[in-house]
Amino acid sequence: MTTTQLPTTVRKKGVRPPDRPGRPRRREGAAWVFLSPWVLGACVLTLLPMAVSLYLSFTDYDLFSAPNWVGLRNYTQMFTEDPRYWRSVATTLMYVVIAVPLQLALALLVALALRNMKRGRGFYRSAFYAPSLLGASMSIALVWRAIFNDGGTVDNLLGTGGWVNRPGWALFAVALLTVWQFGAPMVIFLAGLQQIPGELYEAAEVDGASVWRRFLSITVPMLSPVIFFNLVLQTIQAFQVFTPAFAISAGKGGPADSTLFYTLYLYDRGFVASHMGYASAMAWVLLFAIGAVTAILFRTSRSWVFYASEGDR
Amino acid sequence: MPRIRTKESWKPRAAATVLALCALLTGCSGPDGSGGAGGEVVLRYTWWGNPDRAARTQAAVELFEKKNPGIDVQTSFAGYEAYKQKLATQAAGGDAPDVMQLDYRMIDQYASGGVLLDLAEQRRALDTAEFEPGLLATGRVNGRQYAVPQGRGTETMVYDTEKWRAAGLAPPRVGWTWSEWADAMRTVAEKTGEPGGTDPGQSEDAFEIWLRGQGRALYTEDRRLGFDVDDLTRWWTFTDRLRREGAVSPAEQTTQLDGSVENTPLGRGKAASDVNWDAPASGYLALVPTGISLAPMPAGEDGTAGQYFKPSMFMGVAADSGHPEESARLVDFLLNDDEAAQILGATRGIPVNESIREDIAADLKDFDRTIYEYQATVEGRLAPPPQAPPSGDSALQTTFQRDYDQVSYERMSPREAAENYLIEAKAELRS
C-alpha cells in the first residue's frame, strides 16, 4: 500500500488546489506530531495550571485541606481589607515608573554611542549585554545587596549607611539593578538604529540640522516602533519584578515594606502564609492589570508611533 | 525524502514521541524509590539542617539499616526555608515522605490537614516512656500524638563575654528581670559606645517570653490571641525607647535579621549580645573571637519566668505511608537508641529521652557541652511550654517583624503598629 501511495503524493503535490479537503489533513497530521511537544507543554504546564489557579482564586485553599468555595471573598478582601495589598500595588507602580524610563533611556544612549563606533563594537555590545544574561540570577542580586548594604562598597564610598537598609532608598537600589540590565533593549535599539536610512541624516546635515534636531526629528520618529516594542516589553517585565527584591530584602520586602512588590507579596501570601487561594486571586488581578496597561500603551501608541509603511499610503 | 511518510509509518513514532514526552513531563514516575533490592521496604526520610547534622544523621541511618535488614532508608535534606516549601508542596500533592522532621509551627497545620499519622497507633514500634511528659505533649493536637519532639532547646541571651566584662557587668543570673536587662543594655552602650544587643522588638519569640513573664500567653487554649493591643503597645514602646536611647540596635541593623547568626548585630561585631535559641548559638563562636556566654532570658518584674523549654524539632510519620510500622521504628531508633544518640549528639538539641540525656552528657563536647550546661542552670526554673501554635502563626512571625519595622523606622507609633498587627493576626487565625 505504501508503495502505491507514495508516488501519488509526489505527483499531486504541485497541482493540488490549496483549499482541497482530504489531502492537507495528512500534512496537518505531521504538523501535529512536530507540534506535540509544544501542545503538550502548553496544555499540561500552562493551560491546566492556569485553569486550576483560576478555580483556586475562588477558594480558601491552604495546601493542606481541600479547597472551599468562597466566591469572591479573596477579591473583596484584597480590595477592601488588606492595606498591605495596596502598599504592594503602590510600590510596584512606583518601581515601574522609575525603572522602565531610566532603563530605556540608558539603553538608547548606549545604542547611539555604539552605532557610530567603528572598532570594538562587538566587544562593547557583548560587555553591555552580559548583565542582562546574569542579572536575573540570584547571585547578582545577592552581590547587589552586599554592595548596597551598610558596610558595603557604596556605603564606604558615600557614607550613606547602606541603601538597602533605608526605606526611602531600597526601592532605588532595586531599580538600579534593573536599569543596569539594559542589554536586551539596547540590542533591539541597535538593530532599529541600523534600519534608519543614512540618507536621511545626510540630507538633514546638508540642511544644517543640529545633532539634537536630527535626533528628535529623524531618530526618534524612525525608531518609535522599536521604542514602543521595548516599552511594552520592559513594562510587562517590570510589573513582574521579583528576584532582586526577594534577595535584597531576604524575602520580606523590607525595610518597612519599601520593597514589597506585588509579586513578592503574592509569594508571601502563597508560600509563607499558605493562602494559595488568595495568591491565585492576586495573580489573576496582576494578569488583568498588565493586560490593561498594555492596552493603554497600545492605545496611546497611535499618536506617537510612526511606521515607515504609513508614509507609502 | 523523510517528509513523505505513510500513516502506517509515522503513527507508531508519534505514539512513541508522545509517550516519551509524557514520561519526561511526569518526571519519570515509577514506584517511589524502586532502586532498592527486591522485597525491601523503602522509607523516605527528610529533614532540614546543615552539613554537620547531615553527616551525623547519615551515619545514624546507616546504623539503623544495619540493625534492620530489609529496610532501606532514603534520606534528603535542605535549608529550612526551602525544606518548608518543598514539604508543603509534597504534602499537598499527597506525596509526603514516610518520616519527616517538623517544626513546632508546622504541627498544627500538618496534623489538621490529615498529613500526619497518629503515632499512638504504632505504640509497639515507638516507645515514648522515657520522654518528659510536658515536652511530649507539645506534639499533641486534639489529644492525638501526631509528632514526637526530637530535642529540646530554650531561648538564651548570648553575649560577648569580653565586652560584657569590659562594661563592668556581672554575668546575668536566673531570674533577672526585663528592667535589669534594659539597664545592662544601657550600661554596655555607655561604656563601649555600641548598642548592648539586638533590638528584641522584632522577635515574636522574645515578645512571647516577656508576655509570659506577666502571666499571659501568645495564644489561648482555643487558639486565639492571648494578648491585646495594650500588651503589644507596651512591649513595642519599651523596645522603641531603648532603640532611641541607642541601648539596642538601630533599625538599619535590625531589619537585616534573617534568621542567620551572621546577620545579627552580635555576629557582625556591632553589639554585645543577641537573643536566640541555644542550639544555633554555636554559630557565634566563629564570629566572636573573644568568646561568648549563654545567659538565661529575663523574667517578669515579679520574677515570673516566661522562658520555657521548647521542643527544638519533631519527627512525624506520613498518614498515608505504606510502611507505618517501619517508619515508627526508624523514629524510635533515632530517639531511643543509645548508639544513635552517641552519633547524633546535640545536633537537634539536647535529647528528650531522659536516660539518654544522662548517658550522653559525659560525652558532649565543645558547644554541645555549653548548651547542656546552660540548660542545666535553668532546669526546673522555667515555665511549662505552651501548646503548639495555631496554623496561622508561621506567617505571623514575619508579620510581627514587618510591623515592628514600621516602628523602628519611625513610620508608625507603637500603638498604630500594634493595632495593625492585631488586625492581621485576627484575619490570619480566623482562616
Side-chain angles (χ1 to χ4, degrees):
Chain A
M1 310 161 289
T2 52
T3 43
T4 53
Q5 269 181 359
L6 200 105
T8 325
T9 318
V10 175
R11 189 171 46 79
K12 290 221 169 180
K13 202 181 116 198
V15 294
R16 190 185 58 219
D19 54 351
R20 191 183 140 185
R23 274 296 136 200
R25 203 179 294 148
R26 287 244 332 259
R27 308 190 71 211
E28 234 172 69
W32 280 112
V33 173
F34 285 110
L35 274 174
S36 63
W38 184 86
V39 171
L40 218 64
C43 291
V44 178
L45 300 175
T46 307
L47 292 177
L48 189 70
M50 276 180 79
V52 173
S53 140
L54 183 60
Y55 164 70
L56 289 179
S57 76
F58 298 106
T59 69
D60 65 355
Y61 187 49
D62 68 350
L63 278 177
F64 292 91
S65 27
N68 284 319
W69 187 267
V70 296
L72 289 172
R73 200 184 77 188
N74 287 329
Y75 293 91
T76 51
Q77 192 185 338
M78 193 186 305
F79 294 134
T80 58
E81 293 166 33
D82 190 350
R84 199 158 258 151
Y85 173 82
W86 288 110
R87 209 172 300 156
S88 77
V89 169
T91 307
T92 308
L93 285 177
M94 195 147 95
Y95 168 78
V96 169
V97 170
I98 295 171
V100 174
L102 266 180
Q103 187 196 34
L104 291 186
L106 196 61
L108 184 55
L109 207 69
V110 175
L112 285 169
L114 287 182
R115 175 178 61 172
N116 298 324
M117 189 178 267
K118 294 283 178 293
R119 286 174 50 186
R121 184 156 80 178
F123 169 75
Y124 283 107
R125 201 164 48 190
S126 318
F128 283 122
Y129 190 71
S132 300
L133 296 176
L134 305 168
S137 70
M138 200 68 173
S139 49
I140 293 290
L142 288 172
V143 169
W144 210 257
R145 177 179 170 184
I147 292 175
F148 286 99
N149 214 336
D150 75 327
T153 319
V154 170
D155 181 31
N156 288 338
L157 283 174
L158 306 173
T160 55
W163 287 19
V164 298
N165 312 313
R166 296 174 162 232
W169 287 93
L171 189 67
F172 288 97
V174 179
L176 268 185
L177 178 54
T178 312
V179 172
W180 178 60
Q181 297 159 40
F182 60 84
M186 177 202 71
V187 168
I188 298 169
F189 275 139
L190 208 51
L193 286 173
Q194 278 156 0
Q195 298 297 313
I196 303 175
E199 305 91 74
L200 290 178
Y201 290 106
E202 283 162 24
E205 220 165 328
V206 170
D207 287 347
S210 67
V211 175
W212 182 239
R213 187 77 241 169
R214 274 177 276 158
F215 175 72
L216 281 183
S217 300
I218 303 174
T219 312
V220 171
M222 291 301 283
L223 203 60
S224 59
V226 177
I227 297 176
F228 176 61
F229 176 80
N230 274 334
L231 178 68
V232 171
L233 226 60
Q234 298 307 319
T235 305
I236 291 174
Q237 267 183 23
F239 268 105
Q240 301 177 60
V241 62
F242 179 77
T243 319
F246 184 85
I248 282 175
S249 69
K252 288 185 291 185
D257 287 349
S258 61
T259 59
L260 187 69
F261 291 121
Y262 196 95
T263 48
L264 202 59
Y265 188 53
L266 190 157
Y267 171 86
D268 174 79
R269 293 293 86 194
F271 290 96
V272 180
S274 303
H275 296 313
M276 280 295 165
Y278 194 80
S280 299
M282 279 187 73
W284 279 89
V285 172
L286 179 63
L287 180 74
F288 280 104
I290 290 178
V293 168
T294 310
I296 292 170
L297 286 179
F298 267 91
R299 185 59 67 92
T300 61
S301 77
R302 289 179 197 164
S303 61
W304 63 271
V305 175
F306 169 77
Y307 290 99
S309 58
E310 284 172 28
D312 300 339
R313 274 186 219 149
Chain B
M1 287 246 163
R3 186 161 47 81
I4 306 161
R5 288 202 187 279
T6 63
K7 282 178 184 172
E8 286 79 358
S9 68
W10 64 258
K11 258 195 178 161
R13 273 162 202 264
T17 313
V18 171
L19 273 178
L21 279 167
C22 287
L24 268 178
L25 286 169
T26 51
C28 313
S29 71
D32 271 325
S34 49
E40 269 196 352
V41 169
V42 179
L43 298 180
R44 284 186 300 152
Y45 168 36
T46 61
W47 76 90
W48 74 86
N50 55 30
D52 169 53
R53 185 183 286 170
R56 296 208 221 176
T57 308
Q58 197 55 43
V61 163
E62 272 159 27
L63 186 65
F64 173 77
E65 287 174 327
K66 208 178 341 167
K67 287 187 173 180
N68 292 272
I71 302 182
D72 180 25
V73 183
Q74 297 186 336
T75 57
S76 68
F77 76 104
Y80 181 67
E81 285 299 320
Y83 176 85
K84 200 167 78 173
Q85 283 161 26
K86 187 179 171 197
L87 189 64
T89 319
Q90 282 179 322
D95 187 36
D98 299 280
V99 179
M100 56 200 118
Q101 182 170 312
L102 298 160
D103 185 67
Y104 206 20
R105 295 167 193 275
M106 298 177 177
I107 307 262
D108 185 73
Q109 193 172 35
Y110 278 66
S112 45
V115 179
L116 299 175
L117 185 78
D118 181 358
L119 291 169
E121 291 171 20
Q122 295 297 334
R123 206 170 281 130
R124 281 188 307 131
L126 171 57
D127 178 21
T128 55
E130 303 243 25
F131 288 24
E132 265 174 67
L135 212 55
L136 187 61
T138 55
R140 235 172 257 157
V141 179
N142 296 330
R144 288 166 200 259
Q145 193 77 43
Y146 284 110
V148 284
Q150 224 173 339
R152 71 170 196 190
T154 185
E155 287 260 304
T156 173
M157 191 197 76
V158 194
Y159 63 95
D160 180 329
T161 322
E162 206 48 56
K163 279 184 189 163
W164 202 260
R165 200 177 296 145
L169 290 162
R173 298 157 57 136
V174 185
W176 70 323
T177 64
W178 280 101
S179 48
E180 285 168 338
W181 167 83
D183 288 340
M185 294 294 111
R186 292 188 184 106
T187 308
V188 174
E190 268 166 40
K191 296 276 165 63
T192 67
E194 275 179 359
T198 308
D199 185 345
Q202 45 76 36
S203 164
E204 195 200 35
D205 290 330
F207 171 62
E208 182 182 28
I209 290 175
W210 178 85
L211 198 60
R212 286 164 55 96
Q214 305 177 18
R216 314 196 69 164
L218 219 43
Y219 299 105
T220 60
E221 301 238 318
D222 56 352
R223 295 180 193 169
R224 277 190 297 207
L225 284 182
F227 62 95
D228 58 24
V229 178
D230 292 336
D231 294 317
L232 188 51
T233 305
R234 274 192 298 128
W235 168 246
W236 280 346
T237 309
F238 171 60
T239 60
D240 186 47
R241 208 176 87 204
L242 288 170
R243 184 189 56 75
R244 287 168 190 265
E245 291 171 13
V248 295
S249 60
E252 289 79 13
Q253 293 281 329
T254 313
T255 195
Q256 290 181 45
L257 299 174
D258 59 359
S260 72
V261 293
E262 288 81 2
N263 283 331
T264 60
L266 175 63
R268 295 159 63 97
K270 298 196 170 182
S273 76
D274 187 38
V275 169
N276 207 329
W277 294 95
D278 54 4
S282 63
Y284 295 109
L285 277 178
L287 303 165
V288 185
T290 48
I292 55 166
S293 308
L294 304 184
M297 291 297 289
E301 300 309 315
D302 62 355
T304 308
Q307 190 183 348
Y308 60 90
F309 279 121
K310 181 198 148 191
S312 55
M313 50 201 74
F314 293 82
M315 292 186 87
V317 172
D320 54 4
S321 163
H323 311 287
E325 200 206 318
E326 288 84 351
S327 299
R329 232 154 66 201
L330 174 61
V331 176
D332 182 74
F333 176 81
L334 292 174
L335 299 182
N336 293 327
D337 187 274
D338 282 325
E339 283 179 78
Q342 294 290 346
I343 297 170
L344 292 170
T347 171
R348 286 185 174 81
I350 301 296
V352 284
N353 180 316
E354 288 178 341
S355 55
I356 284 193
R357 190 187 306 156
E358 281 156 28
D359 289 350
I360 70 161
D363 298 325
L364 287 174
K365 285 188 288 285
D366 308 329
F367 206 75
D368 283 356
R369 170 119 235 122
T370 309
I371 295 173
Y372 180 84
E373 282 165 2
Y374 165 63
Q375 291 200 356
T377 62
V378 293
E379 188 89 52
R381 310 190 55 173
L382 304 185
Q387 65 176 9
S391 305
D393 176 69
S394 56
L396 285 179
Q397 237 183 345
T398 322
T399 307
F400 196 88
Q401 277 181 13
R402 283 182 175 165
D403 284 329
Y404 187 64
D405 249 11
Q406 305 286 357
V407 177
S408 58
Y409 279 106
E410 301 182 14
R411 296 192 154 194
M412 280 184 195
S413 71
R415 177 161 291 276
E416 284 168 331
E419 279 165 1
N420 254 11
Y421 178 79
L422 262 88
I423 291 169
E424 288 173 82
K426 279 173 186 161
E428 203 61 62
L429 295 172
R430 196 178 46 206
S431 50

